[in-house]
Amino acid sequence: MKTVVEKTEKFDPQEVIEEFEVLTRDAGKIQEETLQKILEENGGTEYLQQWGLNGKTDSLSFKNCVPIVTHKDLEPYIHRIADGDLSPILTGKPITTISLSSGTTQGKPKFVPFNEELMESTMQIFKTSFAFRNREFPVVNGKALQFIYGSKQFKTKGGLAAGTATTNVYRNAQFKKTMKAMQTPCCSPDEVIFGPDFQQSLYCHLLCGLIFRDEVQVVSSTFAHSIVHAFRNFEQVWQELVTNIRDGVLSSRVTVPSMRAAMSKLLKPDPELADTIFNKCSRLSNWYGLIPALFPNTRYIYGIMTGSMEPYLKKLRHYAGELPLLSADYGSSEGWIGANVNPELPPELVTYAVLPNIGYFEFIPLMENLDGLEPTPVGLTEVKLGEEYEIVVTNFAGLYRYRLGDVVRIKGFHNGTPELQFICRRNLLLSINIDKNTEKDLQLAVEAAAKILSDEKLEVVDFTSHVNVSADPGHYVIFWELSGEASEEILKECCNCLDISFVDAGYVGSRKVNAIGALELRIVKRGTFHKILDHFVGLGAAVSQFKTPRCVGPTNLSVLQILSSNVVESYFSTAFC
């Protein structure tokens, strides 16, 4: 452990880039070595022994013996670990920490094993992408305004620490050392990051950013949503923040004693700074360019901006003005996949180069075989340019041939390793009949309809969907939260536009013959999606890891209840009448 820390403190971006170049030049060989290492470490586990590998560590034996699985298949093993079974079940060394997925898709979080090897691969990904990022957008002795929040950690029945994957990273000593070595330590104290009240933490993050405004060189969060949420919040509280800075007295809204104590060490009366911030905010037009106005030395804005985060890009660009948006790396609660080594690409085009030494990766082609069977997975170096695949992961934390459920497209190669573009979650489908619409299809439909609103100076704050099969025929329901009031005429037009924007042949054909009913647009009260966020935080999710569920299934009853009880208007499409 000590050697890792020493290496971290002497962080050399050029050295990291050179290491990455060496790794990716011989990606196939590195993959075989990585699998061998995983199987040598864990070959004696109960899980692997049942498949009859008998000590073999080559990829052919591994694929012939070990089946492809989903989380559901591994759940019984993971729960035994969480309940305190210390025998080698999935890994040779005991698992001491459990990560929780965001839980926004299925309504409840998944348990995933987390260990020191995953922490090390996290730091490797962070350092790799930072090295490439810093070459294009150098930061020197600055601070990062990071909207990060630790969720409540709890002990499982067996006494293991459990928390979201991001919390497990933020609480690890390596994270802080790495951020310091990369010259972008967080400007907020730990008491704010790990505070028990999200709203109070957010307020203090904003205040810390303003106190260190000249030192802030990066504004970031795990997900783009958290950055947009923070600055929407700033619009409401900015004058209060200015008063706190002017008087050197923290707002009474912050009641957590540890947070108040930490902030009082930072907060001193500063009328000059208060005047500067007041003047900057007063001169802005509709808050355009808010981030560079507040933090003049910011080089870029950083966070995951793909997939379910893409709908927030428009608002983020509004706040960012001319500042570049850099999309963070590609991973999940189960572990990391790739780093963004082309930081100059806009988020819509961003790709991720797979690190061949952090896990063993397979790719299931998305096209179906003529016999109806699922195609055989191919290896990391066998993928084809332009093709789409579902990723299968084998890692050092006890996941073997694990379906991640993500669909990616191969956009190119960095030496011998593929560069992936995230497309969508495979299982997030709107489907009633023969129709199949993905999260991306939903996003495109919402974007098309939202253009009608932009003429009225209105925007979609957030959205989700639901398949209503209680009616006959079943139909799609789209929930929208808007930034203001829209006329009935405009909303009817939006509803029709949503309906015709789903261009999947199965959907269009089914709508024409009324096998699928008219799409329904439901407008919800302001703050409804915040209630959904509060609901998940109450279940133990971290705000940093929160993703609005884009399709609310029948198992997600609590979220459906929040949405349904906040509907103020409802419209049915007449597009196919």
Side-chain angles (χ1 to χ4, degrees):
M1 183 72 184
K2 197 170 173 223
T3 54
V4 174
V5 170
E6 282 167 2
K7 194 173 176 184
T8 301
E9 286 171 348
K10 294 171 185 164
F11 179 73
D12 176 355
Q14 194 49 43
E15 192 182 304
V16 172
I17 289 173
E18 282 164 17
E19 272 176 32
F20 176 76
E21 296 295 342
V22 170
L23 275 177
T24 55
R25 253 179 231 125
D26 208 348
K29 181 166 167 276
I30 299 287
Q31 276 282 276
E32 293 294 326
E33 288 170 2
T34 303
L35 179 63
Q36 186 182 347
K37 195 175 167 193
I38 291 170
L39 296 178
E40 279 170 0
E41 278 183 23
N42 304 304
T45 58
E46 178 188 327
Y47 182 78
L48 285 178
Q49 282 198 324
Q50 71 179 312
W51 302 117
L53 264 174
N54 299 326
K56 297 191 194 82
T57 58
D58 63 289
S59 58
L60 192 61
S61 302
F62 176 65
K63 290 174 190 175
N64 285 339
C65 296
V66 180
I68 291 175
V69 295
T70 64
H71 187 270
K72 201 174 172 187
D73 300 307
L74 294 185
E75 219 163 17
Y77 301 93
I78 297 169
H79 279 288
R80 278 174 53 202
I81 294 167
D83 289 347
D85 189 333
L86 293 173
S87 63
I89 298 172
L90 289 172
T91 53
K93 286 186 274 187
I95 292 287
T96 54
T97 313
I98 294 288
S99 286
L100 303 174
S101 70
S102 63
T104 48
T105 307
Q106 305 300 333
K108 63 177 187 15
K110 293 182 300 197
F111 277 28
V112 182
F114 184 88
N115 62 7
E116 207 50 47
E117 278 98 339
L118 276 197
M119 189 63 211
E120 282 176 21
S121 65
T122 301
M123 293 303 104
Q124 189 189 344
I125 288 265
F126 279 16
K127 287 188 279 189
T128 302
S129 61
F130 177 81
F132 281 93
R133 202 160 69 241
N134 214 46
R135 197 161 67 174
E136 299 290 323
F137 307 96
V139 297
V140 183
N141 293 328
K143 289 189 188 297
L145 170 52
Q146 291 184 295
F147 294 103
I148 56 177
Y149 310 88
S151 69
K152 303 182 193 85
Q153 271 191 322
F154 64 89
K155 294 281 185 202
T156 67
K157 195 169 147 190
L160 272 64
T164 56
T166 47
T167 302
N168 292 335
V169 170
Y170 302 150
R171 283 191 182 277
N172 193 295
Q174 265 190 272
F175 174 72
K176 264 195 190 163
K177 286 189 168 73
T178 302
M179 294 310 292
K180 196 174 174 188
M182 297 193 303
Q183 302 183 13
T184 47
C186 182
C187 58
S188 302
D190 277 0
E191 291 82 354
V192 171
I193 296 169
F194 298 108
D197 184 291
F198 156 62
Q199 286 296 351
Q200 293 183 43
S201 290
L202 170 51
Y203 186 87
C204 292
H205 274 317
L206 290 166
L207 191 53
C208 290
L210 295 175
I211 291 167
F212 295 109
R213 76 182 287 261
D214 290 328
E215 293 174 63
V216 170
Q217 293 190 24
V218 178
V219 173
S220 72
S221 186
T222 310
F223 288 121
H225 169 266
S226 292
I227 307 173
V228 170
H229 184 82
F231 288 104
R232 281 192 194 278
N233 202 271
F234 180 86
E235 291 182 32
Q236 311 304 318
V237 299
W238 73 278
Q239 286 173 305
E240 192 179 331
L241 289 162
V242 167
T243 303
N244 292 179
I245 291 168
R246 191 180 302 285
D247 302 339
V249 179
L250 183 61
S251 164
S252 59
R253 71 167 67 219
V254 181
T255 57
V256 176
S258 58
M259 240 189 269
R260 287 198 71 85
M263 291 304 295
S264 65
K265 288 178 189 165
L266 297 176
L267 194 56
K268 303 283 180 281
D270 194 338
E272 192 182 331
L273 177 59
D275 286 343
T276 301
I277 295 163
F278 184 87
N279 292 334
K280 293 279 183 194
C281 290
S282 303
R283 290 188 197 123
L284 290 175
S285 167
N286 195 26
W287 301 103
Y288 177 81
L290 172 61
I291 296 173
L294 293 178
F295 313 108
N297 296 312
T298 305
R299 300 303 315 273
Y300 54 82
I301 294 163
Y302 186 66
I304 293 169
M305 298 179 188
T306 49
S308 58
M309 293 300 124
E310 268 193 51
Y312 305 110
L313 288 178
K314 188 180 175 195
K315 189 66 176 176
L316 191 53
R317 284 199 169 100
H318 182 81
Y319 287 136
E322 299 299 309
L323 282 173
L325 304 185
L326 274 58
S327 195
D329 308 304
Y330 174 31
S332 63
S333 301
E334 289 87 352
W336 290 98
I337 313 293
N340 178 2
V341 298
N342 300 304
E344 70 289 346
L345 287 176
E348 292 87 349
L349 300 175
V350 72
T351 58
Y352 305 99
V354 180
L355 271 69
N357 69 327
I358 61 171
Y360 183 74
F361 302 100
E362 297 172 74
F363 297 81
I364 302 172
L366 273 209
M367 74 250 192
E368 283 187 9
N369 285 336
L370 293 173
D371 55 11
L373 296 172
E374 191 165 65
T376 307
V378 298
L380 182 74
T381 56
E382 298 166 323
V383 292
K384 294 196 170 95
L385 193 65
E387 296 292 325
E388 292 187 2
Y389 300 88
E390 182 188 348
I391 302 184
V392 175
V393 175
T394 297
N395 70 12
F396 287 92
L399 301 183
Y400 307 99
R401 307 199 82 194
Y402 178 97
R403 293 183 90 127
L404 209 54
D406 287 356
V407 175
V408 295
R409 183 179 291 130
I410 310 303
K411 294 296 284 186
F413 290 86
H414 188 103
N415 296 323
T417 202
E419 294 194 346
L420 319 174
Q421 183 179 38
F422 178 85
I423 301 298
C424 63
R425 294 283 296 160
R426 187 165 191 173
N427 59 354
L428 276 184
L429 287 176
L430 285 166
S431 183
I432 292 171
N433 191 349
I434 54 168
D435 51 313
K436 282 185 170 60
N437 281 300
T438 65
E439 182 181 342
K440 187 72 178 173
D441 297 321
L442 171 65
Q443 185 194 317
L444 292 170
V446 169
E447 279 174 9
K451 284 180 182 149
I452 298 164
L453 288 173
S454 59
D455 297 340
E456 308 291 307
K457 301 279 191 287
L458 291 171
E459 60 188 7
V460 177
V461 173
D462 221 329
F463 66 92
T464 190
S465 64
H466 171 64
V467 170
N468 184 348
V469 287
S470 61
D472 187 25
H475 66 278
Y476 291 5
V477 180
I478 313 292
F479 294 92
W480 272 11
E481 182 180 318
L482 302 177
S483 59
E485 299 285 321
S487 69
E488 189 176 319
E489 186 188 347
I490 290 288
L491 291 172
K492 280 180 177 172
E493 194 182 335
C494 289
C495 184
N496 286 353
C497 182
L498 281 167
D499 204 4
I500 59 172
S501 295
F502 286 106
V503 293
D504 166 66
Y507 181 76
V508 175
S510 299
R511 281 288 288 117
K512 282 179 178 170
V513 298
N514 205 34
I516 293 177
L519 179 141
E520 183 181 1
L521 173 60
R522 296 183 190 172
I523 308 298
V524 295
K525 290 176 196 163
R526 288 297 302 272
T528 298
F529 281 85
H530 200 288
K531 287 179 184 171
I532 293 171
L533 184 148
D534 287 342
H535 164 72
F536 283 110
V537 170
L539 293 176
V543 177
S544 311
Q545 217 167 300
F546 176 76
K547 291 183 281 212
T548 298
R550 292 293 175 221
C551 182
V552 182
T555 57
N556 224 335
L557 284 173
S558 307
V559 174
L560 266 182
Q561 183 61 46
I562 294 168
L563 289 163
S564 301
S565 60
N566 283 280
V567 173
V568 287
E569 292 167 279
S570 180
Y571 300 92
F572 282 91
S573 164
T574 55
F576 288 86
C577 291

